[in-house]
Structures are given as C-alpha cells and as structure tokens.
C-alpha cells in the first residue's frame, strides 16, 4: 500500500505543508471553478506545490470500501 | 552594512541586504533550512490500528504535520539532561489520537490530535490536515511524542523555505515559514546559531594552533606557518 493513496501532507519538492488545503481545493473544483484559480485563491503559488494538487488521484476511499466489505474489522 | 525588511506578513518575510558578502548570507540561508530546531512527532506508539493504512504510512503522515514550536520552554533531546529514551517534560510533548468509525465512514484530521497533560502552545499548526479515512468498524488509537529536531536530521523538521537572490550589491533573503515559528523568529534563531558556530570554529582554530606552538617549544617538528 502506497502513501499515494491519500493526498500527501507536504509537497514532494519544497516540503511546504499542503494537505490542509486539499478539501477546500476539491470543494472549489466540484463547484465548477477553474483549478488554477482555486490554487491562486488558496495561496499555492509555486509550481511544485500546484502540480501536487493537479496530478493527485484520490483512491484511498476505494480501498477503505474494499476493506469494509472483505477486509479486517473488529 | 545595511539590512531592511521590504515585505512582511505572518507567513513570509523578504529582507534586503547591502554590503554583506553573499557567502555569509548563504550560510544564514542554509542554517535556516538545516539548523533551526522546530517540533514534530518523533515517536508514535500504536495501540490500535485497524484502518486500511499501514502503521508506518500512518506514522509517517502524522510526523509530517508541523507543530507550533515553543523554543523557550523545550530543549533538544540530545542536550536535555534527562538522558531518557522517551524523554521528560522538558524535551517531549505528549499527544494522543483516538478515533472510531461506527455507522458511517469518517475522516481523521489533525484537529483530533489531543494533548496529554499541559503542552502549552505546542500543537498542530491547524486542524485541517486529513490523516486517514476509516470505514465503519475500523479504529485507530495512537500515542504521539513530539520533540524538537533539526532539518538536517529529517525533512519533517525543516522550518521554512529560504531563498537568496541578488542584483549588483542588493541581496534579497526570502523566507516562507511553514507555521512552526514566525518568520522573524526563524531569522533571529538562525543568526544566533550562526554566531555559535563561528565562535566554536574560531575557538577550535585558536586552540589547535596554540597546541602546535607548544609542541614547537618542546622541539618537535612543526607544520604551522614559520612566521608565527
């Protein structure tokens, strides 16, 4: 299992904390806003941090769902 | 020699220097990244983890969350006199996380990190970091030991981004804090550490040169400059 399942806490290149802005970014693009404009609004200015948002695929929820059907449980 | 602040807010600071060598400013820049101590989770005790995330991935994600740092009341574990592996109240702040998903799935955030005892101002920089998602029936229970550390030991302790640019005699030092400390405090700490390092260096050089001089008087072969 990779740490890539959930959005990374920090930018891979510069190390700035970015995960706290992830949910606001998703809310923005789900509302139909332009992804670049959302990032500008959230104050993500460097392109190393911007690509973290734009290229991320969140598939942790699918694994959670899989585990809740077939996996370990208490 | 001249220094002035040309831009400042609670996150960033930009300074202008004139008449200071670039190499000295670069030392300060590198000290900001490598040497200024800040706080992050250093040890994680996993009491329960039935989540879909493995123990080490979970601990790694938590360790990358920046913690508001109290430099005046905490010491680096290696300079603390407790000599304990788990640390004492002067070098370690204790936190815990406990989360259970009952009927519906939940997301565990950094706001669920709760202090154990009095930790003062120490705590996650904000509560919005998603740590893990839990399906119904899954649970995590962790104990976290937060300690001071330096960027050269692990990137989780890097306090800021620091860049240096120049234009003729004007040098610009730009610092973007990650939230551990205020940008001003980061520079002041870096300058203090720079002074300590240079003092230590000159003291070692003086001591070793004196040592060679003594050997000279005893009639041994010297490798130092004969004009001294």
């Amino acid at each position: 299992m990779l740490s890539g399942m959930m959005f990374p806490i920090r930018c891979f290149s510069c190390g700035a904390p970015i995960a706290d802005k992830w949910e606001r970014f998703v809310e923005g693009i789900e509302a139909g806003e332009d992804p670049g404009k959302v990032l500008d609004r959230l104050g993500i200015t460097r392109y190393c941090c911007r690509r973290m948002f734009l290229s991320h695929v969140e598939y942790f929820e699918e694994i959670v769902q899989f585990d809740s059907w077939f996996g370990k449980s208490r | 020699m001249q220094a002035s602040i040309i831009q400042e807010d609670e996150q960033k600071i930009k300074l202008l220097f004139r008449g200071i060598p670039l190499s000295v400013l670069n030392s300060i820049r590198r000290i900001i990244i490598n040497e200024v101590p800040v706080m992050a989770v250093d040890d994680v005790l996993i009491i329960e983890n039935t989540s879909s995330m493995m123990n080490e991935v979970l601990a790694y994600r938590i360790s990358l969350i920046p913690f508001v740092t109290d430099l005046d009341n905490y010491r680096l574990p290696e300079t603390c006199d407790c000599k304990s592996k788990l640390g004492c109240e002067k070098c370690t702040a204790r936190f815990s996380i406990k989360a259970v998903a009952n009927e519906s799935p939940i997301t565990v955030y950094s706001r669920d990190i709760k202090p154990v005892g009095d930790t003062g101002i120490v705590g996650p920089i904000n509560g919005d970091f998603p740590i893990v998602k839990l399906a119904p029936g899954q649970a995590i229970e962790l104990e976290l030991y937060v300690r001071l550390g330096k960027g050269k030991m692990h990137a989780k302790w890097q306090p800021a981004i620091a860049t240096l640019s120049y234009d003729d005699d004007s040098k610009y030092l730009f610092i973007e804090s990650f939230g551990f400390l205020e940008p001003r405090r980061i520079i002041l700490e870096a300058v203090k550490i720079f002074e300590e390092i240079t003092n230590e260096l000159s003291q070692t050089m003086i001591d070793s040169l004196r040592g060679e001089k003594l050997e000279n008087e005893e009639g041994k072969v010297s490798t130092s400059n004969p004009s001294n």
Side-chain angles (χ1 to χ4, degrees), chain A residues 1 3 5-10 14-17 19-20 23-24 46 58 60-61 63-64 67-68 72 74, chain B residues 48 51-53 61 64 66 100 109 126 128-133 135 137-138 155-156 158 161 176 178 180:
Chain A
M1 293 202 187
S3 60
M5 298 191 302
M6 269 186 94
F7 190 66
I9 303 284
R10 292 199 188 206
C14 70
D20 51 338
E23 291 191 346
R24 269 177 282 163
R46 280 178 297 276
E58 183 91 3
F60 189 67
E61 250 166 76
I63 288 162
V64 168
D67 270 359
S68 67
K72 53 201 172 177
R74 292 209 292 173
Chain B
E48 186 184 11
S51 76
S52 306
M53 196 175 270
R61 283 182 71 83
L64 288 176
V100 191
Y109 293 94
N126 67 55
D128 297 333
F129 288 94
I131 296 167
V132 68
K133 282 175 184 153
Q138 294 182 336
K156 68 185 174 186
Q158 182 190 330
I161 284 170
E176 187 187 311
F178 288 168
F180 297 97

Side-chain angles (χ1 to χ4, degrees), chain B residues 23-79:
Chain B
S23 53
V24 172
L25 290 172
N26 193 40
S27 313
I28 291 171
R29 185 188 72 83
R30 292 185 59 153
I31 285 168
I32 289 170
I33 293 170
N34 290 329
E35 302 275 352
V36 175
V38 288
M39 291 181 122
V41 174
D42 195 22
D43 271 329
V44 178
L45 181 70
I46 291 159
I47 298 159
E48 186 184 11
N49 178 19
T50 48
S51 76
S52 306
M53 196 175 270
M54 293 197 302
N55 291 354
E56 46 269 59
V57 178
L58 185 62
Y60 185 62
R61 283 182 71 83
I62 291 169
S63 79
L64 288 176
I65 297 169
F67 275 65
V68 176
T69 301
D70 187 359
L71 276 180
D72 305 312
N73 295 317
Y74 286 91
R75 285 182 285 194
L76 277 164
E78 56 263 38
T79 56

Side-chain angles (χ1 to χ4, degrees), chain B residues 124-187:
Chain B
I125 57 159
N126 67 55
D128 297 333
F129 288 94
I131 296 167
V132 68
K133 282 175 184 153
L134 301 176
Q138 294 182 336
I140 57 163
E141 191 178 352
L142 315 170
E143 212 172 300
L144 315 171
Y145 296 85
V146 175
R147 295 197 185 96
L148 280 172
K150 293 175 177 180
K152 64 179 176 184
M153 296 191 266
H154 195 288
K156 68 185 174 186
W157 284 309
Q158 182 190 330
I161 284 170
T163 59
L164 190 59
S165 56
Y166 58 96
D167 177 21
D168 293 326
D169 193 40
S170 308
K171 282 123 189 163
Y172 301 94
L173 184 65
F174 170 76
I175 290 146
E176 187 187 311
S177 169
F178 288 168
F180 297 97
L181 294 164
E182 294 147 38
R184 252 172 210 253
R185 184 77 197 264
I186 294 176
I187 299 170

Side-chain angles (χ1 to χ4, degrees), chain B residues 207-228:
Chain B
D207 288 351
S208 60
L209 289 173
R210 284 226 177 95
E212 285 201 17
K213 212 175 167 190
L214 273 175
E215 279 180 10
N216 237 356
E217 283 161 4
E218 287 162 14
K220 284 178 188 163
V221 183
S222 169
T223 51
S224 64
N225 191 345
S227 64
N228 287 335

